[in-house]
Amino acid sequence: MNTVAVKWQKKWEEAKIYESNPDPNRPKFYTTVAFPYPNSPWHIGHGRTYVTADVVARFKRMQGYNVLFPMGFHYTGTPIMAMADGIAKGDKDLIDTFKDIYEISPDVIPKMSDPLFMANYFKEDIKSAMKEIGLSIDWRREFTTIDPEFSSFIIWQFHKLQSKGYVVKDTHPVGWCPVHQLPVGMHDTKGDVEPEIGEFVLIYFNSDKGIFPAATLRPETVFGAIGIWVNPNENYVVANIFGNRMIISERAAFKLSFQIDKDIEIIEKVKGSKLVGMKVKNPITGKEIEVYGGSFVDVDLGTGVVMSVPAHAPFDYYYMKKNNKDVEVIPVIFVEGLGNTLGKDVVEKNNPKSDADLKKLTEYVYRTEYNKGVMISDLEKLVKEDYKEELRKLSGLPVPKAREAITEFMISNNIGRKIFEIMNKPVYCRCGTEIVVKLLKDQWFLDYSRSDWKELARKLLGNMRIIPDEVRKDFEFTIGWLEKRACARTRGLGTPLPWDKKWIIESLSDSTIYMAYYTIAHKIKKYRITLSHLTPEFCDYVMLGLGNVEEVSKRTGITADVLKELREEFLYWYPLDIRHSGKDLIPNHLTFFIFNHAAIFPENLWPKAIAVNGLVLYEGKKMSKSLRNIIPLRKGLKMFGIDIMRIALSSTADMGSDVNFSETLVKTIGETVRKIFDLFNNLDNYKDETHGFPEKWLLSISYKMVENVTKYMENIELRNAINEILFMFTSNLDEYFNMVSAENRNANGRILREVLITWLKLITPFAPHLAEEIWHEILHRQEFIVNEKWPEVEKAKIDELALLEYEYMNRIIEDIRSILNVYKGEPKKVSLYCVRDKEIKELLKDAIKSNGQSKTFMDLHRPKNKDEARLFQRIFNESLELDDDMKKLALNFDIDETSVLGQLSRYMEKKLGIKVEINEYNLKIKELYKKDALPLRPAIIVE
């Protein structure tokens, strides 16, 4: 099959069918996918987002849209540098991965110590993978982010952002690599993990040896602190920090040095066990409390010193009890209906067996008390005399407000301060070093914290379509929490910051509006427009329509006609219609995409939609080098077939869910496709011309499929679409062949051909190579099927009655099977007795129209006696059991059930393997068999 794919890819390329140019007579559809980092070959997981976008692009093209699907390559930042460094240093794991998993020649690998060699090598490899999997890309528009022409576009972008005050120089916490001495973002880390920075409050507990700064996310619970914890098994230091003598973990001292921007003076090293039993003073209550030892204390988090508040912390209460301590439980927070010692109560109620159990209880307590808790009304009784007056106002406050107030109080009274921590630790730089938080001075930031910019971003998001819609809340959440974001590095590939050229604009900052550049990239090449021509006035005019074209022509040296042509091309394609990406990029790339478009472009040029998808698992597991379960995409295409891989990657899970790629899945898809392919090959063998119920049903169900699949494709519900196209369609074909077989005849070749051609067009976006091969080699068509019109729903060919009669028959078959399953003896025959009484049918219609309201029905039909009352009740109960299809059949069609089932009885016999007779129900039958019958519910007698 791959040779077939190569054949059609070559023909498409020769015909230039994916080279998209403006056409004012056609509606346009502009789609992009995140351009890839060429720092390793693609594995099968990379294919999902790109094939999903391609399926949608091909669908829209068949709908008559002029589709643009371009591609570039992201060289910016440290990912490529880090990999090249790894090669240069002889990183065995990396070299083994390249050699054993990605099968890169040992002769090539040493050359990859040069970042540009590596980037160019993998760019070509990824581009080959994109072509091999059949992406319908306009390759004329290709660029890399270190091309000088693209750099001019990024310089223009940053001047625009700076002019609006969105680029600032400031001191701000960032993720930091201690080895490379650089800020670290998602694309700089192993596993592409975004370092999440959170704020801890340090509370100063004084002792004779120095201050124990307990790190907490819940400073409002300090009123109930009856001790502090250290880890007895770990190393601590006494050090001069923040102008005080402090006792913290050795690891914390290293990390905090990056937040005070100097080495910390270590006075003494001490084992945690030596600190246990010391006395410290609670700065808020004035009480003398004890230092306890707890192995659960994480010395890598915060300062390695934590408060013990048993009333509100499950870990504290559990371990105090476990260590046979007398637990003083001091309530601080009250939750309506749950009391004021929730931390203690959940431990006693749930009897946790492990730290994992305690962690779940802790999350519940923290969340509940934060969202529903208030500070106790007599809080001042816990406060030492000096602070009573000022802290009295905290009584009765909701927890969030109390947290803010006590934090401000402690900082202003020099009994506490804030520090920063990586909340999703451990996060590792690509060099293997664990990331820390650094307070970075004189660093350039994009100020995503600005309320005016956030409002613009929210407005843009509100106008966008998000697929699937349930992730909209993730975008809203990200817009809310985003703060200043370091936008430049001193190391890596990319564009120099125009006003401070020792800095390089980093990878998550030059990849936000590059979709605009695709619209003119090919024309910049065509007209040999170089860096010297690409002044800020160029982009101002082309992208924003600013300036007089003649003046811009003089300033840039580009003719007015060319400038107008570029402006028209940009306006034809923009705004972007949809952006495809992985859901892991919502907290950065995709939200930055929203912010930057909102900042630079007018509303009429804001992007219209974002589609995000989940990851690809292999046999139920995340792909990783350690599991040795990574399959390079190009290898996978050879192993499993191109169109089969396209279907498996893009369409076997809902957009927001992960695809579980497995060989069983691939085999199932392959067998199903092969079955239909063989049917195409044998079409000429079907010469029957009968147009009976099976043909009416097959045509109707097939055009109903067109209706359903079109709706699914519009909503990018590709799993539902492929389920209809592949699996339900083959099931329907089997059903049709069984129907005609029951009539002792062959299939109608003309109807079969019509249905299969319709199917072939539906499968084309998913399996374009297979479709093209069948279209040309079996059906002998001349034009490309990828350019064919998407099938329209032919309402006239959907026989609603035939579909409903089929569903009715199936319902009866299921009822018969239920009886046969419990039947004692050897059944010889099934007799069905159908109701013909028009009055009873009218009663059922009225019962259905009563919408489940018994009184409404009975008000219309008052029974004259008990027998009639029982009949009415049975009819009403029957109306409640009918599904929507059967209600439609009863209300809209006055069918003769005896005739309908009589027509289908041979097929029923084939399915059931037993003789079926159809008769009319009457009083004689009722008396003979003591069986009732109702409309659409015949009496069933097994003999």
Side-chain angles (χ1 to χ4, degrees):
M1 187 58 73
N2 286 0
T3 55
V4 166
V6 170
K7 174 174 83 174
W8 292 112
Q9 287 166 12
K10 186 178 179 185
K11 288 182 181 293
W12 294 334
E13 188 174 348
E14 289 169 353
K16 302 182 186 298
I17 60 174
Y18 302 126
E19 292 186 3
S20 306
N21 298 303
D23 181 351
N25 298 316
R26 293 169 66 200
K28 64 90 183 179
F29 182 79
Y30 180 22
T31 180
T32 63
V33 191
F35 48 18
Y37 281 101
N39 65 336
S40 63
W42 267 9
H43 56 68
I44 59 172
H46 289 108
R48 182 179 183 188
T49 305
Y50 294 81
V51 175
T52 298
D54 187 65
V55 168
V56 175
R58 289 178 178 279
F59 164 65
K60 299 305 284 186
R61 193 174 282 111
M62 292 180 76
Q63 279 193 313
Y65 285 86
N66 186 16
V67 175
L68 174 59
F69 181 17
M71 189 57 61
F73 294 89
H74 203 183
Y75 281 33
T76 308
T78 59
I80 294 166
M81 301 281 284
M83 294 287 251
D85 284 351
I87 297 295
K89 292 171 183 172
D91 183 324
K92 187 176 183 304
D93 287 343
L94 178 59
I95 292 168
D96 286 350
T97 299
F98 278 7
K99 188 170 58 179
D100 300 335
I101 295 178
Y102 292 118
E103 299 176 356
I104 298 169
S105 167
D107 297 337
V108 172
I109 293 174
K111 298 176 186 175
M112 291 185 176
S113 59
D114 175 356
L116 271 179
F117 178 90
M118 175 182 281
N120 290 326
Y121 178 90
F122 287 133
K123 183 197 88 164
E124 292 306 318
D125 189 76
I126 293 168
K127 186 174 177 179
S128 295
M130 289 176 169
K131 288 185 172 183
E132 285 167 17
I133 206 167
L135 302 187
S136 52
I137 288 168
D138 182 350
W139 285 108
R140 297 174 304 160
R141 300 168 190 263
E142 175 191 345
F143 64 87
T144 81
T145 56
I146 60 170
D147 291 352
E149 297 78 14
F150 180 75
S151 288
S152 75
F153 171 73
I154 296 302
I155 288 168
W156 170 79
Q157 174 190 351
F158 265 72
H159 277 306
K160 287 293 171 193
L161 294 171
Q162 187 196 40
S163 70
K164 298 185 180 209
Y166 296 150
V167 184
V168 296
K169 200 171 193 180
D170 201 357
T171 296
H172 197 71
V174 297
W176 184 261
C177 173
V179 170
H180 286 125
Q181 297 287 298
L182 283 172
V184 173
M186 176 184 179
H187 289 139
D188 309 308
T189 64
K190 286 192 171 183
D192 287 337
V193 179
E194 179 70 30
E196 296 169 12
I197 298 173
E199 224 173 50
F200 275 78
V201 176
L202 300 190
I203 302 175
Y204 295 169
F205 290 80
N206 271 305
S207 76
D208 292 339
K209 199 173 185 69
I211 294 170
F212 283 83
T216 182
L217 296 168
R218 308 183 73 209
E220 71 280 3
T221 63
V222 66
F223 302 91
I226 55 89
I228 60 172
W229 296 100
V230 297
N231 193 319
N233 307 314
E234 299 288 347
N235 295 323
Y236 285 73
V237 296
V238 182
N240 284 324
I241 311 171
F242 305 129
N244 293 290
R245 184 184 175 98
M246 292 189 173
I247 299 110
I248 61 174
S249 72
E250 195 169 18
R251 173 66 178 164
F254 169 76
K255 293 196 301 178
L256 283 177
S257 67
F258 293 94
Q259 296 187 35
I260 61 177
D261 207 24
K262 63 180 179 181
D263 289 339
I264 289 174
E265 182 190 351
I266 306 295
I267 300 167
E268 179 188 350
K269 293 188 178 183
V270 58
K271 196 76 174 174
S273 56
K274 297 292 184 182
L275 302 172
V276 174
M278 289 180 63
K279 300 296 181 183
V280 298
K281 189 169 284 189
N282 184 321
I284 296 296
T285 67
K287 281 189 175 181
E288 191 174 71
I289 56 179
E290 192 172 330
V291 177
Y292 298 115
S295 57
F296 63 89
V297 174
D298 182 359
V299 293
D300 280 343
L301 186 67
T303 58
V305 179
V306 293
M307 290 191 300
S308 178
V309 188
H312 303 288
F315 268 98
D316 294 350
Y317 182 76
Y318 176 87
Y319 276 101
M320 293 287 282
K321 293 287 284 185
K322 186 177 180 181
N323 294 339
N324 299 312
K325 302 285 185 186
D326 291 328
V327 185
E328 184 184 7
V329 178
I330 302 174
V332 177
I333 297 167
F334 172 74
V335 179
E336 185 74 39
L338 296 173
N340 59 11
T341 56
L342 188 56
K344 161 186 169 289
D345 297 341
V346 295
V347 172
E348 292 186 342
K349 180 181 177 182
N350 293 281
N351 192 24
K353 300 288 191 299
S354 66
D355 282 2
D357 293 343
L358 284 167
K359 187 177 179 185
K360 288 178 184 175
L361 294 177
T362 298
E363 287 168 356
Y364 165 74
V365 171
Y366 287 10
R367 183 174 63 249
T368 303
E369 291 187 338
Y370 184 80
N371 291 321
K372 300 179 181 179
V374 295
M375 305 303 284
I376 58 172
S377 57
D378 52 350
L379 188 68
E380 65 187 80
K381 75 177 190 296
L382 301 174
V383 180
K384 72 179 187 177
E385 199 61 39
D386 297 0
Y387 297 155
K388 274 187 189 296
E389 188 60 36
E390 198 167 347
L391 294 179
R392 182 178 283 121
K393 61 186 179 185
L394 270 64
S395 294
L397 276 185
V399 165
K401 289 187 176 178
R403 179 174 300 175
E404 192 176 311
I406 192 64
T407 300
E408 288 175 4
F409 176 83
M410 288 190 293
I411 292 172
S412 63
N413 284 276
N414 201 30
I415 54 174
R417 68 170 293 127
K418 292 180 182 178
I419 64 166
F420 299 96
E421 181 61 276
I422 303 290
M423 303 305 291
N424 55 336
K425 59 183 286 292
V427 178
Y428 296 96
C429 176
R430 287 184 183 269
C431 71
T433 307
E434 186 174 352
I435 300 307
V436 298
V437 177
K438 181 175 176 65
L439 268 179
L440 203 55
K441 295 178 181 177
D442 296 328
Q443 164 73 31
W444 292 103
F445 294 93
L446 284 167
D447 191 2
Y448 293 124
S449 67
R450 280 184 52 153
S451 58
D452 59 339
W453 203 2
K454 285 182 186 289
E455 284 311 305
L456 270 177
R458 289 190 180 102
K459 185 175 184 182
L460 195 161
L461 177 65
N463 293 333
M464 288 184 97
R465 183 181 174 207
I466 302 295
I467 302 157
D469 193 61
E470 59 262 25
V471 303
R472 181 180 295 275
K473 65 182 186 304
D474 299 322
F475 281 100
E476 291 166 350
F477 179 66
T478 302
I479 289 172
W481 65 253
L482 266 180
E483 293 292 323
K484 293 185 178 75
R485 166 93 198 187
C487 63
R489 306 279 190 267
T490 55
R491 180 176 184 266
L493 303 175
T495 302
L497 197 63
W499 55 85
D500 194 350
K501 294 189 177 178
K502 69 175 180 287
W503 296 94
I504 303 293
I505 295 170
E506 62 87 46
S507 61
L508 283 165
S509 301
D510 76 347
S511 56
T512 57
I513 62 164
Y514 65 90
M515 313 84 207
Y517 186 78
Y518 280 130
T519 63
I520 58 170
H522 63 310
K523 293 286 175 73
I524 287 175
K525 294 174 193 172
K526 176 181 175 181
Y527 293 116
R528 293 184 172 84
I529 298 171
T530 62
L531 189 59
S532 63
H533 301 107
L534 297 172
T535 66
E537 292 87 355
F538 170 82
C539 283
D540 274 347
Y541 176 77
V542 172
M543 304 289 176
L544 300 178
L546 300 176
N548 174 280
V549 69
E550 301 298 338
E551 288 297 320
V552 175
S553 177
K554 287 177 188 174
R555 296 291 298 273
T556 61
I558 304 169
T559 66
D561 287 346
V562 169
L563 285 168
K564 286 177 186 175
E565 184 181 334
L566 267 62
R567 172 71 177 157
E568 286 167 7
E569 174 116 11
F570 171 76
L571 286 176
Y572 178 81
W573 294 115
Y574 240 63
L576 182 69
D577 290 285
I578 192 165
R579 172 103 175 124
H580 287 262
S581 202
K583 64 182 180 182
D584 55 318
L585 298 184
I586 293 173
N588 41 69
H589 256 307
L590 290 173
T591 305
F592 301 161
F593 160 77
I594 291 172
F595 268 94
N596 281 264
H597 271 87
I600 290 173
F601 293 103
E603 284 189 41
N604 65 311
L605 296 179
W606 284 357
K608 294 181 177 179
I610 293 175
V612 298
N613 51 258
L615 305 174
V616 177
L617 308 177
Y618 181 65
E619 302 290 357
K621 295 178 181 176
K622 186 175 179 179
M623 283 181 280
S624 74
K625 289 175 282 189
S626 60
L627 293 174
R628 313 296 285 180
N629 65 347
I630 293 174
I631 298 180
L633 180 60
R634 298 179 73 187
K635 183 177 181 179
L637 296 176
K638 290 171 185 168
M639 289 168 62
F640 304 119
I642 289 169
D643 283 341
I644 304 304
M645 284 284 283
R646 285 176 60 95
I647 294 169
L649 291 175
S650 67
S651 318
T652 52
D654 295 326
M655 281 292 286
S657 304
D658 295 342
V659 163
N660 182 21
F661 184 91
S662 68
E663 296 195 21
T664 303
L665 170 71
V666 169
K667 186 178 179 185
T668 301
I669 294 169
E671 287 171 350
T672 308
V673 169
R674 169 59 64 182
K675 183 176 178 180
I676 300 176
F677 182 79
D678 289 343
L679 185 54
F680 271 102
N681 267 321
N682 292 307
L683 261 178
D684 291 342
N685 297 334
Y686 300 103
K687 303 184 184 301
D688 197 291
E689 296 181 2
T690 306
H691 193 100
F693 181 85
E695 283 70 31
K696 284 194 291 183
W697 175 80
L698 180 62
L699 274 176
S700 300
I701 201 73
S702 297
Y703 281 102
K704 197 75 176 173
M705 173 181 68
V706 172
E707 189 175 73
N708 293 340
V709 169
T710 302
K711 179 185 70 178
Y712 292 141
M713 295 295 282
E714 293 283 11
N715 294 330
I716 315 188
E717 296 175 14
L718 303 187
R719 179 173 180 262
N720 289 337
I722 210 68
N723 190 48
E724 286 255 2
I725 296 168
L726 266 190
F727 304 112
M728 292 181 70
F729 180 70
T730 51
S731 175
N732 292 338
L733 284 176
D734 289 343
E735 195 81 336
Y736 170 70
F737 281 114
N738 283 330
M739 281 186 192
V740 297
S741 172
E743 294 182 6
N744 294 315
R745 65 179 175 89
N746 208 333
N748 182 317
R750 182 181 60 80
I751 298 296
L752 205 53
R753 182 177 292 268
E754 179 180 345
V755 164
L756 284 171
I757 287 173
T758 299
W759 174 87
L760 192 63
K761 292 177 181 177
L762 296 183
I763 199 72
T764 294
F766 300 91
H769 311 93
L770 170 74
E772 207 71 82
E773 181 73 2
I774 293 172
W775 188 248
H776 288 264
E777 303 303 329
I778 297 177
L779 299 176
H780 308 296
R781 302 298 178 93
Q782 298 304 311
E783 300 301 321
F784 290 117
I785 194 171
V786 294
N787 286 337
E788 282 292 307
K789 192 176 180 185
W790 183 257
E792 291 183 354
V793 178
E794 298 192 37
K795 292 282 188 185
K797 292 191 175 179
I798 299 178
D799 187 330
E800 197 72 39
L801 179 57
L803 293 174
L804 292 172
E805 287 176 344
Y806 172 82
E807 291 302 323
Y808 168 54
M809 174 199 70
N810 264 346
R811 175 176 159 162
I812 302 304
I813 287 172
E814 290 308 309
D815 288 346
I816 294 170
R817 280 181 174 150
S818 298
I819 294 169
L820 293 177
N821 284 339
V822 297
Y823 186 79
K824 304 282 174 61
E826 188 67 36
K828 297 287 192 299
K829 181 176 76 170
V830 173
S831 296
L832 301 176
Y833 295 93
C834 304
V835 169
R836 271 186 168 168
D837 190 310
K838 288 190 179 297
E839 288 185 15
I840 292 179
K841 288 184 177 183
E842 288 302 317
L843 283 170
L844 179 61
K845 287 182 182 181
D846 287 342
I848 293 169
K849 290 175 185 175
S850 70
N851 292 318
Q853 301 298 316
S854 178
K855 185 177 183 303
T856 304
F857 176 61
M858 291 304 182
D859 285 347
L860 278 174
H861 302 283
R862 298 189 179 278
K864 302 181 184 70
N865 51 51
K866 288 184 178 179
D867 286 345
E868 200 167 77
R870 281 194 290 270
L871 173 64
F872 288 1
Q873 188 62 52
R874 285 203 311 276
I875 289 172
F876 180 77
N877 291 343
E878 164 76 354
S879 76
L880 298 178
E881 293 178 13
L882 293 176
D883 61 25
D884 289 344
D885 281 344
M886 291 304 98
K887 286 177 182 176
K888 195 185 296 182
L889 182 60
L891 290 172
N892 300 338
F893 301 95
D894 185 20
I895 65 167
D896 181 341
E897 295 177 50
T898 309
S899 172
V900 169
L901 293 179
Q903 179 187 2
L904 298 172
S905 60
R906 281 180 293 178
Y907 182 55
M908 294 172 71
E909 288 175 346
K910 185 175 180 67
K911 289 196 89 167
L912 292 164
I914 189 171
K915 185 168 178 56
V916 177
E917 285 189 356
I918 315 297
N919 301 287
E920 184 179 346
Y921 182 78
N922 52 40
L923 285 174
K924 183 178 176 183
I925 297 301
K926 179 174 181 174
E927 290 169 5
L928 178 62
Y929 293 109
K930 302 295 185 287
K931 284 269 192 178
D932 290 315
L934 291 171
L936 305 182
R937 184 73 74 182
I940 301 171
I941 309 299
V942 180
E943 300 175 26

